Structure formats: structure tokens, C-alpha cells
Amino acid sequence: MEFKEFKEKLFKKAKKSGLDEFEIYYQDKESLSINIYKEEVEKYNLNKSFGVSFRAKYKERMGYSYTEIIDEDSIDMLIKNAKQGAEFIEDDDIQFIYEGDKSYEVVENYYKALENIDPEKLIELAIEMERECKKQSDKVDNFGGCGISYVNSSYGIMNSKGLDLGDKLNLLTAYVVPILDIDSKKYDGFGYATAKSLEEVKPEKIASMGIEEAMKKVNAKQIESSKYKTIINNEAMVSILQSFWSVFDADLAQKGISLLKGKEGDIIASNKVNIIDNPLLKDGLASVGFDDEGVATFKKSLVEKGELKTLLHNLKTAYKAGIKSTGSGFKSSYASPVSVGPSNLYIEKGEKTLDEAIKEVNNGLLVTEFSGLHSGANSITGEFSLAARGFKITDGKIDHPVEQITVAGNFFTLLKDIEEVCDDIKFPMSSFGSPSVVVKELSIAGK
């Protein structure tokens, strides 16, 4: 059965079954992932998936169902399961089938140059990344990973109120993790690229990035335990922001799980800090013209000069708060219910260069990497205790690499203690971005 016919029959039967408000969300996705090891294909995964979710208001509750097969039997199953699901819901939250907005921004996230890519060319590029690493350094002993991936997805939403939206996206990513052996010690680095065409994947540049990062770790030392004025570099700050973004989730706030509940209008950060959620960001990995409820998306300031302006809302949480949705109603997959989610979430860049910030800090620490974020960061309390590495700053210059340290603090305190924001904003293979930031002090456990 063709999708158009399936949709028309589903809507007709849903109406006959007594459902007045309902919608379908579909996703058609193809992904190819290739992993290389020692210049040979280690893994080759080609996945194709198609799914449809159906949700409907029944007895003033929203019921969900989904299918991967579109036929007559699926139509009956979707309606039946949505009704049954609605009957089992116990909360009184009001949910909506949205009639749509007057206009939607056009977001470019599909690139013709990525159509009909020959997998052999992807394999060649991935192998070339390994070769380039060995060519650029005779210290390359092994690889922690080397791969290239392509994804192509189309999706859309249609409902009983006349809403009919669709879009498509594609993206190419590549990475290599060279491991260097220097004086019998191992050092790894990470080189990567996101691309809109094969030509943008440059093995030489990616290899150089990975080797350079690995070399910066050579001869790292521990430092004394103390409180240090600290620069958190862009990629490390991205990992912090990604771990704590849920504090801006209005659904969690309304449930009392986020400490930002009722804090709109309060100062929660330094006046140097602006935090943006921008689904219309050019080349953003999460750029989209509408959310998964059909609400038109727009750029918004979550934090402006330290003041909390808004949380992220979907239709349900916005209704509770008596405001308009921020266009942040997203599904984690076609089979999932709508929740609250970010798009391109980032700290807005400042004016100082990283070199200027290092000079002004004079004596302190530059943190370049955090690990253990899944277990060492508590998004409810804001507390974190994380293994880290980076560089000692002495007399306004990078002194030596630092390892085997633990950084402890609180996310909310960190935001207030940011003294400078640099201009080096980065989105490292992520929809989260940040520049480097200068923090008044952080507790460092070393030797």
C-alpha cells in the first residue's frame, strides 16, 4: 500500500471510530556506517527503516501507537492501540493536536552533493585517513577507531486539523582516532569532520587534527590539589552543556526535577553568558523549520546577560505555563511520544581570543577534556566530579600538559563564575556548541 493511500484510509477510519483529533508522524531513514581497521573494512552496516506513529485524543487523553508496516491490518491496530493507550493514562495534563502556524522558515539541511554516494568512495576516504595518520607521524602505533557514516532521512507530520508538513536531511561524518606510542606510553587523539559533500572530507586535515591532539598529551604531569582559575576550552564546555541541558526542560521543571523551576527573570549566570537555542542555525546539525508537533521553530535566548528568559517548552508545558510553545516538542524516534528537547543549543561567543584569555589568566589551568560525564554529573543538583586533562598556565603561557586530575563543582555556580567568554565557538560533531570560557575558580584534585 502506498503511504498516501494508507494515510487517507487511516484518517477516514479514525474519524469513523469516534476520534476527532489525531495525527501521524512518519520517518523514512537510511544510514550507512563503515569502520576501518588496519586499512581493511572491519564493519559495514547499512540500515533502512520506515515507521509511522499515530496519536489521537480519546476521552480527553492522548494515546500513542506505531507501526513499521503500512497495510489494512495496521490501520485497525493503530486506532485500537491509541484508544487503549489513552484509557490507561492517569495524569490530567492537557495535550494538543496542533492546527499549525501561518508560516514556517525554510531550513537547508539536505544536500544534493550527498545523493547517490558510492560506498567504495567512502571506504577509500576512510582508509586514506589511516594512511595519512601513519604518513604524518611514525609514532602512530594503532587506532582507537576510524570510520565514516552517512545518513539520509525524510520525515513529516499530518493531522486532522489540516496540518501537512515534511522535510528531509542528510549528512556525512568522518573520524579517526590515532594512537601514538612515545617512549612506551600511549597517547590518543581525535580528528573529525562533518561534511555536505565528499570533497569536504579531507583525510589529511582530519589525520592532522587527531595527531596534533595526541601530541599535546605527551609528557603530561599531575598538579597539586587546589583551587585554580580555569579556562574550560570549547569542546570541554560543550560536554558540560550537553550533560546539563535538561535543566532548561520545562517538563522537568514543572515536575520539580529541575532547579530552574519558577526562576524565569532571575539571574542564574554571569552577565557575560548568553545561552541560545536556535533551530534555524545555518549548517546546524539539529536545524529544523518545525518541531514534531508541527509548531514553527524560532531562535530564542534561554539566558540573556545572565538572566533566565525562558525554558524550553512543547505544547503541553507551554499551556501549563500560560505561554506560547518554544517549538521544542520533539520525539527521540518515530515510536516515541513527544517530549521537550533542544535544537542547536549553544553559549553565544564573546570577543576575546583564547590566547588573550590565557594571557589574562596568567597562572591557572586550561581544561581541554572531561570524562566520566555519565556517572559524574548530576543534572538535578548540578553537581559534578569529573576526570579531566588539559594544560597548566604559567606566566600567561601554556606550560605543560596535565593529566590524572579531577574537577569538582556545580553547573549553576560555574555559570555564575564565568568571567570571560571567548570567540572560538565550536560544535564538535554535535548540535551543542560553546566557546572557551574563563571560570573564576574550580576545585582540582591532583597529587
Side-chain angles (χ1 to χ4, degrees):
M1 184 183 295
E2 293 293 324
F3 179 72
K4 183 179 179 181
E5 180 187 0
F6 175 80
K7 174 254 179 182
E8 289 174 352
K9 286 187 174 182
L10 174 59
F11 277 28
K12 189 175 180 179
K13 276 199 172 185
K15 195 77 173 177
K16 280 186 176 180
S17 71
L19 297 174
D20 293 321
E21 296 185 30
F22 46 84
E23 75 178 19
I24 57 171
Y25 177 94
Y26 69 88
Q27 184 181 64
D28 191 1
K29 184 177 181 181
E30 178 181 279
S31 62
L32 174 61
S33 177
I34 299 168
N35 293 95
I36 301 297
Y37 185 65
K38 293 186 177 179
E39 298 185 23
E40 292 186 356
V41 176
E42 182 181 39
K43 290 182 181 179
Y44 184 101
N45 293 323
L46 175 62
N47 293 311
K48 294 184 179 182
S49 63
F50 176 82
V52 175
S53 67
F54 176 72
R55 64 176 189 151
K57 287 193 76 173
Y58 182 64
K59 295 182 179 180
E60 297 304 314
R61 300 286 189 273
M62 190 73 76
Y64 287 81
S65 57
Y66 65 92
T67 182
E68 296 174 358
I69 301 170
I70 51 174
D71 58 14
E72 294 284 353
D73 291 338
S74 296
I75 290 173
D76 294 329
M77 179 271 293
L78 288 173
I79 294 171
K80 177 184 175 183
N81 288 355
K83 281 185 172 182
Q84 288 179 344
E87 288 181 325
F88 282 108
I89 293 175
E90 296 181 355
D91 66 58
D92 295 322
D93 290 342
I94 297 175
Q95 298 197 52
F96 302 87
I97 299 295
Y98 194 57
E99 65 274 9
D101 288 298
K102 291 181 179 179
S103 62
Y104 294 85
E105 294 287 338
V106 176
V107 175
E108 183 182 355
N109 47 21
Y110 185 85
Y111 310 102
K112 286 194 173 182
L114 291 178
E115 289 181 345
N116 303 315
I117 292 179
D118 183 356
E120 288 299 322
K121 290 185 177 180
L122 296 181
I123 292 172
E124 289 172 12
L125 281 171
I127 291 174
E128 188 61 26
M129 288 191 292
E130 276 199 350
R131 288 175 178 165
E132 274 294 334
C133 287
K134 292 179 179 179
K135 180 179 176 182
Q136 292 182 27
S137 175
D138 60 2
K139 303 295 184 182
V140 175
D141 176 64
N142 208 336
F143 292 91
C146 179
I148 192 163
S149 300
Y150 170 71
V151 62
N152 179 16
S153 177
S154 61
Y155 59 96
I157 180 173
M158 306 166 186
N159 68 33
S160 55
K161 293 187 174 181
L163 185 69
D164 189 346
L165 298 169
D167 205 353
K168 57 183 179 179
L169 61 88
N170 58 6
L171 186 69
L172 185 64
T173 59
Y175 75 94
V176 65
V177 184
I179 299 175
L180 280 59
D181 187 327
I182 300 176
D183 297 330
S184 299
K185 288 192 70 175
K186 307 293 184 183
Y187 304 92
D188 64 346
F190 186 66
Y192 63 89
T194 58
K196 296 179 283 186
S197 68
L198 284 177
E199 289 69 32
E200 290 185 7
V201 179
K202 301 186 182 299
E204 182 179 351
K205 185 177 179 180
I206 295 170
S208 177
M209 185 188 303
I211 290 172
E212 183 179 336
E213 183 178 295
M215 288 298 297
K216 286 180 178 178
K217 299 175 181 178
V218 178
N219 296 324
K221 307 171 185 176
Q222 271 190 296
I223 55 175
E224 297 290 336
S225 297
S226 185
K227 289 185 178 181
Y228 290 84
K229 190 163 189 174
T230 304
I231 300 175
I232 302 176
N233 92 331
N234 45 24
E235 293 195 16
M237 194 61 200
V238 165
S239 66
I240 290 285
L241 190 61
Q242 193 166 3
S243 295
F244 288 99
W245 81 263
S246 61
V247 302
F248 298 105
D249 181 337
D251 190 39
L252 295 181
Q254 289 172 357
K255 292 173 180 175
I257 300 174
S258 168
L259 291 179
L260 294 185
K261 179 179 181 179
K263 298 291 186 181
E264 291 90 341
D266 288 1
I267 299 298
I268 67 161
S270 156
N271 62 9
K272 299 276 187 178
V273 175
N274 298 301
I275 301 179
I276 309 295
D277 184 78
N278 186 8
L280 305 178
L281 182 69
K282 181 176 172 58
D283 297 331
L285 295 189
S287 293
V288 62
F290 56 91
D291 71 4
D292 293 339
E293 294 184 297
V295 177
T297 57
F298 58 95
K299 179 182 177 181
K300 55 267 183 192
S301 296
L302 304 186
V303 177
E304 187 175 305
K305 294 183 178 179
E307 179 186 340
L308 179 63
K309 290 294 187 178
T310 185
L311 299 177
L312 294 172
H313 287 272
N314 60 16
L315 288 171
K316 180 186 76 174
T317 63
Y319 177 80
K320 278 184 174 182
I323 61 173
K324 188 182 186 303
S325 169
T326 59
S328 306
F330 292 107
K331 295 169 171 277
S332 58
S333 75
Y334 69 86
S336 303
V338 173
S339 57
V340 174
S343 59
N344 302 298
L345 185 68
Y346 57 93
I347 297 176
E348 198 169 50
K349 69 177 182 179
E351 297 181 354
K352 286 195 186 310
T353 66
L354 179 58
D355 287 341
E356 288 173 337
I358 290 170
K359 187 175 181 180
E360 289 185 10
V361 165
N362 195 35
N363 290 290
L365 185 66
L366 170 63
V367 173
T368 58
E369 181 183 334
F370 288 113
S371 57
L373 286 150
H374 292 293
S375 58
N378 187 321
S379 61
I380 298 176
T381 64
E383 300 293 329
F384 59 83
S385 180
L386 306 168
R389 61 194 317 155
F391 298 90
K392 182 73 174 64
I393 300 172
T394 304
D395 297 329
K397 296 179 181 178
I398 294 295
D399 189 347
H400 60 80
V402 172
E403 64 179 2
Q404 296 182 38
I405 60 172
T406 299
V407 180
N410 181 281
F411 177 68
F412 301 104
T413 303
L414 185 153
L415 290 181
K416 288 185 176 180
D417 285 348
I418 291 175
E419 295 182 338
E420 290 292 347
V421 178
C422 298
D423 65 356
D424 57 344
I425 188 169
K426 199 170 188 180
F427 292 80
M429 289 182 73
S430 172
S431 59
F432 291 84
S434 179
S436 301
V437 299
V438 181
V439 183
K440 181 180 177 181
E441 66 176 20
L442 283 172
S443 295
I444 309 297
K447 60 182 180 180

